[in-house]
Amino acid sequence: MDTLETRELKYFLAVAEELHFGRAAERLGMAQPPLSRAIQQLERRLGVRLLERNRRGVCLTGAGEVLLDEGRAALDAITAAPRRTRRAGGTDRPGGSRNRLVLAVKAAASHELLQKLLDAYAAEPDAAEIEVLPSGTCEQEEMLRDGRADVARMHTPYNSLTGFDSEQLLTEGQIAILPAGHPLAAHKTLSLADISDIPDLPLARWPRHGTYPPGPGPEIHDQTQLAQLIALGRTMAVFPDSARAWLWAEHTAVPLTDAPPIVTHIAWPPHSRSLTLAALIRTATRL
């Protein structure tokens, strides 16, 4: 067996990400028995076991972990190709420009740096139209991989730069964003241990690959929802220091003394041959 069908990859990724055949079948809009048969057929064709099934549920084998990574990359490439092709031809939206780049950014980070980049690039001769695409905490890399974006501002260690080319732009500390009336908001500094397990103020949870990490904190869908829940005293969050720009009067930012620094990068697919993208990268590295 030398090839895989897109349908097979979609089936396997659903099971591998959910680690539950019932939830995966619901996500795919199909019944569970044919999904189970499809995965068993895939294992027979590949000649390896991808999943271990037991009373406690489903877990990936070593081979399954490899196919999870490779399968995501393959499906992303299949999805990205038509998106970027239509965008390059200006056919992805009515009246679309053929000289346009989509820049994915985390909604709450480094607003000042983003504005400097957009202003500096707009002053360049033959500057392209830049569409800014706000995203959640960990969505930029997915947008870049699947073609929704041509370039992204990424933040390590939150984002993975694996598979991308990148340039470093900014390094900053981290802050805990708390309800202004909470006792911890009176501290001048905090440690990660101080905020790790607060019964009345659980950390907010952002999705990654479509699923939320376990924990008692609320599932966050966008920055406005997060800001409101913090103001109401229902949750807290950890962000780069530049997030102070969007805080409400009901919020307090406290520096975290032992949190790793956040490094902002501009990242792009390594196979890109876009001269427009190259010009944007040059502008970013001069800031």
Side-chain angles (χ1 to χ4, degrees), residues 173-176 187-191 241 244 253-259:
Q174 297 195 65
I175 54 174
H187 291 233
K188 291 185 178 181
T189 61
L190 292 168
S191 69
D241 188 77
R244 293 175 185 271
V254 181
L256 292 169
T257 57
D258 57 349

Side-chain angles (χ1 to χ4, degrees):
M1 176 184 179
D2 295 321
T3 60
L4 290 174
E5 296 180 6
T6 301
R7 173 182 57 84
E8 291 177 307
L9 286 176
K10 288 180 177 178
Y11 286 0
F12 171 73
L13 290 184
V15 176
E17 290 172 355
E18 298 290 344
L19 292 178
H20 190 281
F21 275 91
R23 290 195 298 268
E26 183 178 354
R27 168 174 156 182
L28 292 165
M30 63 187 298
Q32 183 174 333
L35 175 59
S36 298
R37 290 194 295 270
I39 297 300
Q40 290 170 356
Q41 181 180 9
L42 176 60
E43 289 179 319
R44 287 195 297 270
R45 291 179 62 207
L46 287 171
V48 296
R49 184 175 293 277
L50 301 170
L51 302 165
E52 293 289 352
R53 306 160 179 82
N54 54 48
R55 295 178 181 177
R56 292 175 295 178
V58 178
C59 64
L60 291 170
T61 64
E65 290 177 353
V66 171
L67 186 57
L68 175 60
D69 291 338
E70 296 289 345
R72 280 173 175 161
L75 286 181
D76 283 345
I78 291 170
T79 304
R83 282 176 170 167
R84 290 199 174 107
T85 299
R86 286 194 293 267
R87 190 153 58 240
T91 61
D92 62 321
R93 67 177 187 181
S97 169
R98 294 190 178 186
N99 192 28
R100 180 168 67 95
L101 292 174
V102 176
L103 169 63
V105 300
K106 186 169 75 172
S110 308
H111 171 77
E112 182 179 356
L113 178 64
L114 175 60
Q115 191 62 62
K116 286 181 178 179
L117 171 59
L118 295 176
D119 290 345
Y121 179 69
E124 294 289 326
D126 301 320
E129 175 188 352
I130 302 296
E131 178 184 343
V132 177
L133 184 61
S135 70
T137 298
C138 297
E139 292 179 336
Q140 307 99 301
E141 59 190 90
E142 296 173 21
M143 292 176 170
L144 195 52
R145 293 185 201 281
D146 68 16
R148 283 176 287 170
D150 302 295
V151 58
R153 281 197 322 163
M154 309 256 270
H155 309 276
T156 56
Y158 292 122
N159 296 127
S160 171
L161 297 173
T162 302
F164 301 124
D165 285 343
S166 65
E167 290 284 350
Q168 182 174 323
L169 302 180
L170 173 70
T171 300
E172 57 185 321
Q174 297 195 65
I175 54 174
I177 303 177
L178 306 160
H182 194 276
L184 288 178
H187 291 233
K188 291 185 178 181
T189 61
L190 292 168
S191 69
L192 291 174
D194 292 331
I195 63 169
S196 64
D197 187 18
I198 307 173
D200 65 331
L201 204 64
L203 276 166
R205 293 180 294 141
W206 292 89
R208 191 174 183 85
H209 300 303
T211 60
Y212 286 87
E219 296 180 352
I220 301 301
H221 307 289
D222 57 53
Q223 182 185 332
T224 301
Q225 179 198 27
L226 174 64
Q228 185 174 48
L229 288 175
I230 294 175
L232 292 171
R234 302 300 178 88
T235 190
M236 63 167 296
V238 174
F239 272 92
D241 188 77
S242 54
R244 293 175 185 271
W246 62 264
L247 297 189
W248 296 3
E250 297 87 351
H251 301 156
T252 296
V254 181
L256 292 169
T257 57
D258 57 349
I262 299 299
V263 183
T264 299
H265 304 257
I266 189 165
W268 65 96
H271 59 266
S272 176
R273 297 295 181 269
S274 168
L275 296 178
T276 301
L277 175 58
L280 178 65
I281 301 301
R282 285 196 299 271
T283 301
T285 57
R286 290 198 298 264
L287 295 178

